[in-house]
Amino acid sequence: MRVALLLLISTCLVLHGTEAISIPLQNDWILKNSDRDIEIKNIQIPSGIFSDLEAANVTESILFSYNDVKLRKFSYSNWSYSLNFNMTQEDLNHTTMILVFHGLDTITEIFLNDVLLGSTNNMFIRYRFDVKNHLFEGENHLIINFQSPIEAAKKIKQSLSYSIPPECPPEVYNGECHINLLRKMQASFGWDWGLAVPSMGIWKNVEIEIYDSLNIRDITYELTKISEPTIEESDLVEENWNISLKIFVESGMENAHVKGALIYELSGISGPYTEHKDFKTNKNGKGILKVTIQIKSTDVNYWWPNGYGKQNLYTFKVKWEDEQANDVNFYSKSYYIAQKSINIGFRTIELVQDRMDNGLSFYFRINGIDIFMKGSNWIPASILPEKLEDTTKIKELLQAARDANLNMLRVWGGGVYESDYFYNLADEYGILIWQDMMFACAMYSADEEFLKSVKTEIRHQIRRIQHHPSIALFADNNENEVALRQGWYATGSNYSLYASDYNKLYVKTITKELLSIDKNRPILTSSPSNGAWIQDKDKFGISLDPQNQHFGDIHFYPVGTNSWHSQSFHQARFASEFGFQSFPQGWKDVVRKNESILELIEHRQHHPLRNSIISSLIEKNINVEFEKLEWEDQVYLSQISQAIALKIETEVYRKGRGNFMNTMGALYWQLNDVWTAPSWSSIEFNGNFKIAHFWMTQVFAPLSIITHLNDMNKLTIYGVSDEINVQAKKMTVKMNIFKWNSLTIADTLEWKFMMKPNAVTEVTNIEIYNYLHDKNFDVRECLLMFYLYDDSDNSTAIANNFIFPGKYQNLLINDPNLRFSFSSNKCEKEKHQIFIEIKIDSPAVFIYITFNHENIKKYRLSKNGFIQVSPIQNVQLTFDNPNCHWNITIDDLKIKTFNKYL
């Protein structure tokens, strides 16, 4: 009803996220470059120059072909956004009119009606300008002048009294220099997995907020569980939740005297309550209102991570009514009222770092339950900031993470603080967020202006996201501590200077600010780090060995080793980064018809070791000359290699739970991509899954088995359970031995065991080569398949795994004579579903299905990269087919097996 009434006042007034009244300035902007040779009209916000140039057909997509370099000239120009908009006298009659920019990328000057309002230099800050005295009735003119970030970074560099490294990225990145001098997405000047796009633009909404009292900006809360004796029966204890809230309000006037009623409730659970407030805002026109409520723990249910229970969310509503609200006419009343709602979850979280014989533990305890973190690392969903709130893409990626049994994502520190939509979905899906602050792989300034900007950034961003139950941990940066300690950027000659800057920025500024906002969430000054271990730190608070696996978290990339073997990996407390590269399939969307795919791949391969990081691992294990293979074979083998290595390393960490290291987390690098390129992702930029994503779904399953073959002939089998609130279960592991020339089971072994809940159980160990020798099996001719059964219903295997006892290059493997056809092919309501029937005559290894249709870029398979030992198997293929228009034939499919390479 309120919205309808407001529309009678002005057709341009709306309710924004804080449910105050605002005039959105989203449409009809004009974009010009400083050379005055490009002018694009009808720009809509969010906006960025490369998106707008493409939309206006001035350029192609920057993601296409070699355009990341060819279009770089536009990043060297200055650009301006301008807008003419109208105001009525009725609009101007109100007390407060604040022009709000929720995100400007990055270096700007802002003029309203030829008056300089101010400048901006931080992409991650919300900028507010009081424009009450600068607006006219009728037409107003707003212009934002953007300075080239490349040139801006150069100017800052020239003003410095000493170098802040690294000055430039490696040449192979095709990037730009001095990104660490700007508070801008650090990956925007190039990274090893991404293109350099030094963009400019209004990447978040712009509006004029109008009110005559207060606006509610953010709500944070502190949640504690308390136990108190009951009044009736003093020997009984009643558990309650205590919720302490801070409500951050804004007025357009400094030291404003404000009186009114604060009304708040936990919807459907507690309240509403009303408190009279009489206070003054500070010199910036801001204030904090505090309230506390207590509710019985029996009135609400826990919020749980994915796979451990439901994600119960409750809405907290806050409303401010100025005491003058009842003294004005009906249409003006809303300008004296502000309200905001947030969703909260009831859960406790601890980062347990207890003393162990060989260091400190490092694991998360959620609602009193020790939980192994199964996850990945999240980079921005787009390199173009204006596309970072693409709700369709964010939802698809987070759904894929949830469905792959992930319960944690690390928002990596070289990107952005993600959108409200991202964190809302993480709450809904039960995906815990390890939240880095946006500092990565560099040294940074510690001068007064920079620290002031960072302090504002942290306040703005963390107050915005703090209420989400999915936020598990804050980390001040990505890899900057280890970079400084190990001298990645030649800082050793002046270590004390850079270490002092590090301490000022992270310890004395960011950590201090984080604690002032939320003292209950765990905080790390860096990742990797030694966590709470302080004995081995220097006077600046920097660890002597940030990669010590006995403390905190590690980042581990064993380049040069044979990562198809578990001996390449060591246990750690928590592995927050590890991974392997592969090639994506989706090249047809980004290469011109007359261009060489291989040359484009070489251009987009930013790793200093080039494609050898992929080819050498494959050539270590199978007898191929990788570079002489057809391109499609290279893609396939690279994805198989990535999947094998990721699976093995993750299983090393998974089985380490409860042992001498008690490994309790595995976050592989990385979930997603920003373009089509060689990278560590498990999901391609076009949204299709690589083989690794299918495999990690099984590795992270709540019930699984691990088969670990060491170099001493010993095969150890583990049962892994993530179940809680259950008793130990009677389970069976069955090992079936197949010969490569037959689908008949050549031999079987079974082991009965009790599967402990929320734990790893060693099932058995066997001298497998001795066993096979005693049975007259040649290890080269054997495939060992393992199946996990619940003894209460052993009709279907819960999980499976495999071992090749012989070396890959020595296997006596057969052509499985694979045939495939459609057993079903139907399209209804624009959803197309096909069942692919696959027939074989002997075991087929790592069956890989690709779907190639000129009109369909994204599709889902029920499984891929799998081993088949049954004569017939069906795989489901689904995709969108608008109006069921496109005809699909068997020729649109290709299927490969690993057999042919062995």
Side-chain angles (χ1 to χ4, degrees):
M1 178 60 117
R2 179 182 169 194
V3 175
L5 292 173
L6 289 174
L7 291 176
L8 295 175
I9 302 172
S10 169
T11 56
C12 66
L13 295 178
V14 299
L15 303 178
H16 63 49
T18 57
E19 299 189 48
I21 299 170
S22 74
I23 299 174
L25 305 179
Q26 306 304 103
N27 303 317
D28 300 321
W29 290 76
I30 297 173
L31 174 65
K32 295 180 181 179
N33 71 339
S34 54
D35 299 326
R36 303 292 180 184
D37 59 345
I38 297 177
E39 178 177 307
I40 305 173
K41 297 182 178 180
N42 302 317
I43 298 292
Q44 292 189 336
I45 306 302
S47 167
I49 62 168
F50 289 105
S51 293
D52 296 326
L53 288 167
E54 180 187 357
N57 295 315
V58 177
T59 69
E60 298 174 313
S61 168
I62 198 165
L63 303 178
F64 185 70
S65 185
Y66 295 85
N67 289 344
D68 60 307
V69 173
K70 290 181 178 179
L71 302 183
R72 186 71 52 80
K73 61 183 180 181
F74 294 108
S75 296
Y76 282 87
S77 296
N78 296 331
W79 293 80
S80 68
Y81 285 82
S82 61
L83 175 71
N84 293 327
F85 62 97
N86 291 310
M87 301 294 292
T88 68
Q89 185 57 53
E90 187 173 0
D91 295 332
L92 299 176
N93 286 339
H94 296 286
T95 304
T96 302
M97 307 193 77
I98 305 294
L99 176 61
V100 182
F101 297 93
H102 291 278
L104 293 173
D105 180 18
T106 294
I107 309 297
T108 78
E109 286 187 333
I110 301 165
F111 295 85
L112 177 61
N113 296 325
D114 298 323
V115 175
L116 176 63
L117 295 180
S119 59
T120 74
N121 62 5
N122 190 321
M123 176 183 179
F124 307 118
I125 287 178
R126 177 196 308 110
Y127 287 92
R128 302 168 68 251
F129 300 97
D130 185 347
V131 293
K132 169 69 177 175
N133 298 323
H134 303 300
L135 289 168
F136 306 141
E137 182 179 1
E139 188 173 80
N140 293 264
H141 183 63
L142 177 63
I143 185 166
I144 309 170
N145 292 325
F146 285 82
Q147 184 182 359
S148 160
I150 299 172
E151 298 299 335
K154 287 180 182 177
K155 287 182 180 179
I156 296 173
K157 159 63 180 172
Q158 292 166 2
S159 71
L160 296 176
S161 59
Y162 60 92
S163 172
I164 301 178
E167 296 203 346
C168 300
E171 186 177 349
V172 71
Y173 287 17
N174 301 312
E176 297 293 339
C177 300
H178 313 302
I179 184 60
N180 54 328
L181 304 183
L182 299 177
R183 290 312 298 139
K184 179 177 171 66
M185 182 199 294
Q186 296 294 279
S188 65
F189 275 28
W191 218 265
D192 56 7
W193 42 257
L195 67 169
V197 184
S199 185
M200 290 154 271
I202 308 171
W203 74 288
K204 289 195 173 187
N205 292 344
V206 183
E207 58 194 340
I208 299 175
E209 296 176 342
I210 305 175
Y211 45 92
D212 290 321
S213 181
L214 293 175
N215 179 30
I216 299 174
R217 177 63 66 193
D218 296 305
I219 302 173
T220 64
Y221 71 99
E222 182 181 318
L223 191 66
T224 53
K225 205 167 189 180
I226 56 176
S227 300
E228 295 180 351
T230 59
I231 297 174
E232 296 84 2
E233 302 180 66
S234 59
D235 59 328
L236 296 178
V237 173
E238 183 177 83
E239 285 194 330
N240 297 314
W241 289 103
N242 197 73
I243 311 173
S244 300
L245 290 109
K246 289 183 180 178
I247 299 134
F248 296 87
V249 297
E250 298 171 348
S251 167
M253 297 176 288
E254 65 179 50
N255 302 316
H257 190 186
V258 186
K259 296 180 181 180
L262 188 69
I263 304 161
Y264 53 95
E265 65 175 303
L266 188 62
S267 186
I269 304 295
S270 184
Y273 307 99
T274 301
E275 291 187 21
H276 182 75
K277 299 289 184 180
D278 184 339
F279 67 101
K280 281 188 176 182
T281 60
N282 64 20
K283 64 180 181 179
N284 297 315
K286 298 180 180 181
I288 303 174
L289 304 178
K290 299 179 181 180
V291 297
T292 300
I293 66 171
Q294 195 174 105
I295 61 171
K296 293 180 179 179
S297 60
T298 52
D299 290 342
V300 294
N301 295 311
Y302 276 127
W303 180 95
W304 286 99
N306 181 34
Y308 290 85
K310 294 182 178 179
Q311 290 73 53
N312 297 293
L313 296 168
Y314 299 87
T315 303
F316 209 101
K317 299 179 180 179
V318 177
K319 184 178 183 181
W320 168 260
E321 289 190 3
D322 193 283
E323 67 174 13
Q324 300 179 67
N326 294 321
D327 298 332
V328 297
N329 65 52
F330 178 76
Y331 295 105
S332 298
K333 183 173 182 178
S334 294
Y335 293 92
Y336 291 88
I337 296 173
Q339 48 191 345
K340 183 177 178 66
S341 298
I342 60 171
N343 285 335
I344 69 172
F346 289 87
R347 61 110 179 93
T348 62
I349 185 164
E350 297 175 72
L351 180 56
V352 181
Q353 299 186 76
D354 291 338
R355 190 76 171 116
M356 298 176 66
D357 289 342
N358 55 347
L360 295 181
S361 65
F362 189 96
Y363 62 89
F364 290 88
R365 180 174 289 157
I366 313 294
N367 302 330
I369 303 295
D370 300 343
I371 291 180
F372 188 99
M373 290 300 148
K374 306 178 291 186
S376 186
N377 284 258
W378 172 278
I379 63 172
S382 174
I383 200 66
L384 300 169
E386 63 274 15
K387 295 183 181 293
L388 287 172
E389 298 202 31
D390 181 339
T391 55
T392 299
K393 185 158 195 174
I394 291 171
K395 188 171 186 177
E396 287 177 351
L397 287 169
L398 288 183
Q399 280 182 338
R402 177 198 62 188
D403 295 345
N405 301 305
L406 273 63
N407 58 29
M408 178 173 273
L409 286 174
R410 175 173 173 253
V411 175
W412 169 74
V416 300
Y417 306 92
E418 291 293 333
S419 65
D420 293 336
Y421 182 77
F422 172 91
Y423 296 107
N424 287 333
L425 271 190
D427 292 343
E428 187 180 324
Y429 292 165
I431 299 175
L432 288 162
I433 301 299
W434 172 311
Q435 179 68 54
D436 281 1
M437 303 305 106
M438 294 302 118
F439 301 83
C441 298
M443 302 298 103
Y444 289 86
S445 173
D447 68 35
E448 185 176 347
E449 182 181 354
F450 190 86
L451 294 179
K452 182 180 178 181
S453 178
V454 168
K455 191 172 184 179
T456 303
E457 168 188 326
I458 299 301
R459 283 183 179 177
H460 167 194
Q461 294 294 345
I462 303 308
R463 286 176 182 176
R464 175 177 70 90
I465 68 176
Q466 185 270 352
H467 67 87
H468 292 281
S470 56
I471 304 289
L473 175 145
F474 296 130
D476 291 356
N477 67 71
N478 170 78
E479 296 185 350
N480 296 346
E481 182 177 6
V482 67
L484 179 55
R485 172 55 67 196
Q486 296 181 357
W488 292 5
Y489 311 121
T491 51
S493 60
N494 205 348
Y495 173 81
S496 293
L497 171 66
Y498 296 112
S500 176
D501 284 353
Y502 184 98
N503 185 271
K504 290 176 186 176
L505 176 57
Y506 300 114
V507 179
K508 294 182 178 178
T509 301
I510 295 179
T511 296
K512 183 178 179 181
E513 199 60 38
L514 289 171
L515 285 170
S516 74
I517 300 169
D518 190 339
K519 66 177 183 289
N520 288 332
R521 275 192 179 87
I523 299 173
L524 302 175
T525 53
S526 187
S527 175
S529 80
N530 289 169
W533 184 246
I534 61 174
Q535 281 86 337
D536 292 337
K537 292 188 177 183
D538 63 22
K539 65 180 181 179
F540 301 104
I542 298 168
S543 300
L544 301 183
D545 179 11
Q547 284 278 49
N548 189 328
Q549 68 265 32
H550 297 94
F551 307 93
D553 65 311
I554 66 164
H555 297 183
F556 187 55
Y557 295 88
V559 177
T561 65
N562 190 345
S563 299
W564 287 20
H565 295 287
S566 58
Q567 288 74 29
S568 297
F569 312 110
H570 55 250
Q571 296 287 349
R573 302 292 187 217
F574 195 107
S576 54
E577 265 197 42
F578 61 96
F580 304 87
Q581 272 202 359
S582 67
F583 298 133
Q585 274 286 345
W587 290 96
K588 67 177 181 179
D589 302 327
V590 299
V591 65
R592 300 183 199 281
K593 289 183 179 179
N594 62 341
E595 287 178 342
S596 162
I597 289 181
L598 295 178
E599 289 178 5
L600 184 60
I601 290 163
E602 187 71 13
H603 170 73
R604 295 189 175 201
Q605 172 57 277
H606 289 179
H607 196 283
L609 295 177
R610 316 300 290 166
N611 289 331
S612 69
I613 194 173
I614 296 173
S615 62
S616 62
L617 182 55
I618 293 167
E619 291 174 350
K620 277 186 175 81
N621 290 285
I622 61 175
N623 297 318
V624 297
E625 291 184 60
F626 187 78
E627 292 185 358
K628 293 184 178 180
L629 295 172
E630 294 293 325
W631 165 239
E632 289 297 326
D633 292 327
Q634 291 187 21
V635 172
Y636 170 60
L637 289 179
S638 77
Q639 291 200 17
I640 287 296
S641 180
Q642 178 193 34
I644 291 172
L646 262 186
K647 170 184 181 292
I648 290 172
E649 184 168 0
T650 307
E651 287 181 338
V652 167
Y653 299 139
R654 283 280 264 166
K655 74 181 181 62
R657 178 176 187 169
N659 71 6
F660 72 104
M661 286 297 288
N662 193 31
T663 307
M664 286 295 287
L667 313 181
Y668 70 87
W669 184 272
Q670 66 213 60
L671 183 75
N672 54 311
D673 262 331
V674 296
W675 67 335
T676 302
S679 87
W680 294 257
S681 73
S682 66
I683 301 177
E684 295 190 23
F685 179 67
N686 62 15
N688 292 331
F689 295 169
K690 293 181 180 177
I691 294 173
H693 200 78
F694 292 96
W695 283 33
M696 295 307 288
T697 302
Q698 296 182 53
V699 173
F700 284 148
L703 292 172
S704 62
I705 48 176
I706 295 172
T707 51
H708 176 69
L709 181 61
N710 70 15
D711 56 0
M712 300 298 292
N713 178 29
K714 182 175 287 187
L715 170 65
T716 308
I717 302 171
Y718 302 88
V720 181
S721 170
D722 295 326
E723 292 185 323
I724 60 174
N725 301 321
V726 297
Q727 299 296 316
K729 292 182 177 180
K730 294 180 179 179
M731 308 287 279
T732 299
V733 170
K734 180 184 290 188
M735 179 181 74
N736 290 339
I737 301 177
F738 292 88
K739 291 188 175 183
W740 289 116
N741 62 358
S742 173
L743 296 177
T744 302
I745 298 172
D747 191 29
T748 297
L749 277 179
E750 287 188 6
W751 297 275
K752 301 282 186 181
F753 72 105
M754 295 296 292
M755 175 83 90
K756 292 178 286 189
N758 199 31
V760 175
T761 306
E762 183 174 324
V763 178
T764 189
N765 58 74
I766 180 175
E767 303 288 341
I768 190 63
Y769 294 144
N770 294 344
Y771 177 83
L772 293 174
H773 180 267
D774 292 344
K775 291 283 187 174
N776 294 318
F777 288 122
D778 186 333
V779 296
R780 298 174 299 168
E781 65 181 358
C782 292
L783 165 65
L784 311 185
M785 295 296 297
F786 300 84
Y787 302 93
L788 177 67
Y789 294 91
D790 187 330
D791 286 3
S792 64
D793 178 15
N794 60 6
S795 59
T796 304
I798 298 170
N800 64 75
N801 211 325
F802 66 90
I803 283 288
F804 298 160
K807 293 182 179 180
Y808 283 88
Q809 61 262 50
N810 296 333
L811 296 179
L812 303 176
I813 201 165
N814 283 44
D815 178 354
N817 188 26
L818 187 147
R819 294 91 66 199
F820 58 97
S821 60
F822 292 163
S823 59
S824 175
N825 185 356
K826 293 187 293 186
C827 183
E828 296 178 355
K829 299 180 180 179
E830 302 191 344
K831 297 294 182 183
H832 205 127
Q833 182 180 86
I834 296 172
F835 281 92
I836 307 163
E837 184 177 82
I838 299 175
K839 295 182 178 180
I840 56 173
D841 294 335
S842 58
V845 180
F846 309 150
I847 294 173
Y848 181 52
I849 304 168
T850 54
F851 177 47
N852 299 288
H853 191 283
E854 61 180 353
N855 297 309
I856 301 166
K857 295 181 180 179
K858 187 162 50 185
Y859 58 90
R860 286 287 179 267
L861 290 160
S862 58
K863 62 194 305 185
N864 210 4
F866 57 94
I867 295 174
Q868 182 171 332
V869 290
S870 58
I872 300 175
Q873 191 161 150
N874 276 284
V875 177
Q876 183 178 336
L877 168 67
T878 56
F879 50 89
D880 292 336
N881 189 343
N883 301 316
C884 293
H885 176 72
W886 297 316
N887 183 42
I888 309 301
T889 71
I890 199 71
D891 293 333
D892 295 317
L893 291 183
K894 290 183 179 179
I895 300 185
K896 293 179 178 291
T897 72
F898 201 56
N899 297 54
K900 84 172 208 176
Y901 306 98
L902 303 178

